[in-house]
Amino acid sequence: MTALLEVENLRVSYGKIEAVKGISFTVNQGEVTTLIGTNGAGKTTTLRTLSGLLRPTAGKISFDGQPLNTVPAHKIVSLGLAHSPEGRHIFPRMTIEENLLLGAFLRKDQAGITADVERAYGLFPILGERRKQAAGTLSGGEQQMLAMGRALMSQPKLLMLDEPSMGLSPLMMQKIMATIVELKASGTTILLVEQNAQAALSLSDQGYVMQTGQIVLTGTGADLLNDESVRKSYLGED
Amino acid sequence: MHDLPQQLANGLILGALYGLVAIGYTMVYGIVQLINFAHGEIFMVGGFGALTAYLALPGGTTLWLAVPLMLIAGILVSTLVAVGAERFAYRPLRSAPRLAPLITAIGLSIVLQQLVFSFYPDAKKARVFPKIPGDPFELASVTIQRSDIFLIIAAPICMLILGWFVARTRSGRAMQATSQDPDTAKLMGIDTDRVIVMAFAIGAAFAAVAAVAYGLRTGQVDFRMGFILGLKAFTAAVLGGIGNIYGAMLGGLALGLAEGLATAYIQHIPGMHLFGGGAWKDVWAFVLLIVVLLVRPQGLLGERVADRA
Ligand SMILES: Nc1ncnc2c1ncn2[C@@H]1O[C@H](COP(=O)(O)OP(=O)(O)OP(=O)(O)O)[C@@H](O)[C@H]1O
Ligand SMILES: [Mg+2]
């Protein structure tokens, strides 16, 4: 098992407030790694720092053997790191197809891009049926599919998904989770942030529990699912 | 009302001038939500750039050769000043509170005026700009000055090129993405700093085209020429829906028409004879703005703010 992403003692602040307080974790090649944690734990902050939208105050990020700390955000995607942000952030006044094509903004292989657009439609048929529709008019679940499809368009080595099931119906959520399993099977490495701990951990190889900016627990997905404190705090059992 | 066609033509020509300058406000606002109050002065320095090129040419150079060279010089000067302003004045303030870049813009506008006033030879009063000589064109009952032909040709060409650029090119798509969601645009691999520079540069180039048109039309350039015109163009951009390039041109045309028609006809409305004529034209421009904003706060072609979230 080789590590694709290694984070060491990462610290991130918003002004005087430190949101991530020295966390370390690893994402292995070909695995699904999940970050769970309560609201405000610092999960989104961590992902935004990995993709260069925020700068760490301390620590090391090494992706595919390369340090990321000072690489500007717009260059990180070309290294193979794609980010589907919390809240989807699709481009509302562009069509589905234009959104997908923006995901391939840095690619030059026209034939490959066309094939990948079709692959996204294969993964999410509803997107294919609506390809000329303005993305802002899609339902929340459809927008989530689009955000995920768009992130895949860069052919990433690592796909980061921030709460892909947020606000979705149980059926839609199952669909997203099934897609994650499918992506993993096809060799994509995934870093997943989820509120829905049960669903996320059951398909994860590795999991980390974050609390107020720190990682408080680590284990395989199955370990964490069986952990008493996790069951209490995140699976609503007592 | 027998001169209505003439008034319409005058209004549209003036409006096209507003529209070209309005593009600069709208592009920059669309990308960085900054009202670049120095844009009127970007327009003004373009006029002086063009004048400098004209003065450098040997006497007797045909305008067929002079105007394109003046245009290039004007575009060069405006673009350099705008890109410099972005790089050294606005970029360092990008994460500062909104008010800081706004005040900087106002300061920059004063600095540019004073620089031209103090250092451009004889710029303390208006300087003579060449006009296109010859009799005006007569089309049915409409008279069009030769100098305005430049604007009538240049404005639609500029709009067509811009429309094509934004909709069809890679850089244009990067621009749209950045205006809709800058952080996510970065996640797509778009260098948003470059996009911002591009927005300033395009706006400046359009302003320089407008400045040449203005010079040809009025026969002069003046260090204060950007003030009222900038204000009008900003009004046009808001009227059309700030952030929307077609809105800027439409707002410009609407404003030009309103001004032209109000100036010509308001005094004939019973009881309104005091409010006609050139002295009131700026007032009518702003009345139009207020009325449109009351009915459509987002402007003629603007998206509702909710769509932008
Ligand atoms: N732009 C910001 N400015 C200031 N503080 C912020 C900002 N964004 C997040 N924070 C703070 O940083 C902390 C971590 O926030 P973050 O969004 O990373 O949490 P999260 O784990 O993703 O939470 P959630 O599960 O609710 O999405 C919170 O206390 C939050 O209030
Ligand atoms: Mg979050």
Side-chain angles (χ1 to χ4, degrees):
Chain A
M1 254 184 310
T2 52
L4 180 57
L5 175 76
E6 281 182 285
V7 173
E8 248 178 81
N9 194 28
L10 187 74
R11 290 176 179 276
V12 191
S13 298
Y14 296 103
K16 287 195 182 78
I17 304 162
E18 190 165 59
V20 172
K21 303 167 180 165
I23 61 169
S24 302
F25 65 95
T26 308
V27 175
N28 289 322
Q29 186 81 51
E31 292 190 352
V32 176
T33 303
T34 293
L35 233 50
I36 60 170
T38 45
N39 290 123
K43 308 178 295 293
T44 298
T45 304
T46 304
L47 293 201
R48 287 173 67 80
T49 308
L50 294 177
S51 54
L53 295 177
L54 296 171
R55 286 286 169 222
T57 50
K60 271 188 3 201
I61 305 167
S62 157
F63 176 68
D64 208 14
Q66 191 175 341
L68 286 192
N69 294 41
T70 57
V71 182
H74 68 270
K75 294 208 167 132
I76 285 182
V77 64
S78 61
L79 302 175
L81 186 70
H83 183 173
S84 169
E86 181 177 66
R88 307 179 288 260
H89 286 272
I90 45 102
F91 297 105
R93 294 192 294 284
M94 295 199 205
T95 65
I96 290 180
E97 190 139 316
E98 287 168 336
N99 267 273
L100 289 174
L101 291 173
L102 274 168
F105 186 75
L106 296 177
R107 288 173 61 185
K108 301 273 186 275
D109 56 323
Q110 209 46 59
I113 294 173
T114 312
D116 280 351
V117 168
E118 290 309 319
R119 186 173 75 122
Y121 293 153
L123 216 49
F124 305 114
I126 186 87
L127 297 183
E129 291 163 24
R130 309 263 177 97
R131 58 184 76 189
K132 297 288 176 227
Q133 186 175 329
T137 62
L138 295 174
S139 79
E142 291 160 353
Q143 291 189 6
Q144 188 57 61
M145 295 177 194
L146 179 57
M148 211 159 149
R150 184 183 62 184
L152 285 168
M153 288 299 298
S154 63
Q155 296 189 316
K157 294 174 191 149
L158 174 61
L159 174 65
M160 302 197 295
L161 302 171
D162 196 342
E163 302 206 24
S165 75
M166 185 162 56
L168 300 194
S169 65
L171 195 71
M172 207 61 118
M173 204 199 78
Q174 268 178 18
K175 166 84 187 149
I176 295 282
M177 292 299 160
T179 309
I180 292 173
V181 173
E182 224 174 290
L183 290 172
K184 181 193 166 182
S186 67
T188 310
T189 307
I190 292 168
L191 175 57
L192 178 63
V193 164
E194 256 305 325
Q195 293 278 347
N196 189 319
Q198 174 77 48
L201 289 175
S202 47
L203 55 79
S204 297
D205 298 282
Q206 191 72 28
Y208 295 87
V209 180
M210 270 188 93
Q211 209 176 314
T212 55
Q214 285 169 321
I215 287 178
V216 293
L217 206 58
T218 310
T220 64
D223 284 347
L224 292 180
L225 269 179
N226 291 323
D227 183 276
E228 197 177 331
S229 65
V230 171
R231 299 190 74 84
K232 251 195 181 134
S233 311
Y234 301 102
L235 304 178
E237 294 181 9
D238 42 24
Chain B
M1 295 288 263
H2 61 281
D3 60 343
L4 182 63
Q6 181 68 53
Q7 298 300 348
L8 289 175
N10 291 353
L12 286 174
I13 291 171
L14 183 64
L17 191 67
Y18 292 158
L20 283 180
V21 181
I23 292 286
Y25 286 100
T26 233
M27 294 215 47
V28 166
Y29 186 86
I31 304 281
V32 281
Q33 281 77 54
L34 164 73
I35 293 167
N36 180 14
F37 273 119
H39 188 61
E41 276 59 48
I42 302 288
F43 160 81
M44 182 268 293
V45 297
F48 278 89
L51 177 66
T52 310
Y54 177 73
L55 296 174
L57 290 169
T61 307
T62 158
L63 281 176
W64 289 107
L65 178 66
V67 169
L69 291 176
M70 289 156 67
L71 202 54
I72 292 171
I75 290 174
L76 215 63
V77 172
S78 285
T79 309
L80 279 178
V81 172
V83 169
E86 191 283 322
R87 181 66 192 83
F88 298 108
Y90 299 139
R91 193 180 300 186
L93 296 174
R94 205 166 297 149
S95 49
R98 275 296 158 77
L99 205 53
L102 205 62
I103 292 169
T104 305
I106 293 169
L108 188 64
S109 136
I110 296 169
V111 167
L112 288 171
Q113 277 195 30
Q114 289 307 312
L115 283 177
V116 172
F117 176 79
S118 310
F119 296 109
Y120 198 91
D122 294 324
K124 296 193 171 45
K125 51 190 188 332
R127 292 218 41 176
V128 174
F129 202 85
K131 289 191 113 171
I132 298 179
D135 290 333
F137 294 102
E138 307 278 353
L139 286 154
S141 62
V142 178
T143 306
I144 291 172
Q145 298 302 321
R146 278 190 187 245
S147 288
D148 286 336
I149 295 296
F150 171 79
L151 184 62
I152 292 170
I153 296 171
I157 291 179
C158 286
M159 286 310 290
L160 282 174
I161 293 175
L162 183 62
W164 166 81
F165 175 81
V166 171
R168 297 270 167 264
T169 66
R170 214 172 103 84
S171 298
R173 278 192 299 277
M175 216 162 221
Q176 290 182 48
T178 306
S179 87
Q180 293 182 30
D181 193 330
D183 269 357
T184 309
K186 286 182 199 162
L187 294 181
M188 305 295 110
I190 293 167
D191 183 349
T192 51
D193 278 342
R194 235 191 98 235
V195 169
I196 293 169
V197 170
M198 215 151 56
F200 273 89
I202 293 173
F206 274 58
V209 174
V212 171
Y214 176 96
L216 291 172
R217 191 183 153 76
T218 59
Q220 61 177 54
V221 289
D222 176 340
F223 74 97
R224 282 165 305 204
M225 73 193 226
F227 180 69
I228 275 287
L229 202 124
L231 214 55
K232 290 284 181 60
F234 171 62
T235 306
V238 175
L239 191 62
I242 195 151
N244 183 311
I245 52 170
Y246 297 105
M249 186 41 86
L250 187 68
L253 294 176
L255 197 65
L257 277 176
E259 245 184 70
L261 297 181
T263 309
Y265 299 122
I266 285 242
Q267 57 206 347
H268 301 313
I269 300 172
M272 297 285 279
H273 61 279
L274 289 177
F275 302 112
W280 283 82
K281 69 178 198 301
D282 296 347
V283 174
W284 296 120
F286 294 112
V287 167
L288 174 69
L289 176 73
I290 292 167
V291 170
V292 169
L293 291 187
L294 281 175
V295 184
R296 267 184 79 82
Q298 69 272 38
L300 297 171
L301 298 186
E303 276 96 14
R304 268 163 297 140
V305 179
D307 293 350
R308 310 207 55 172

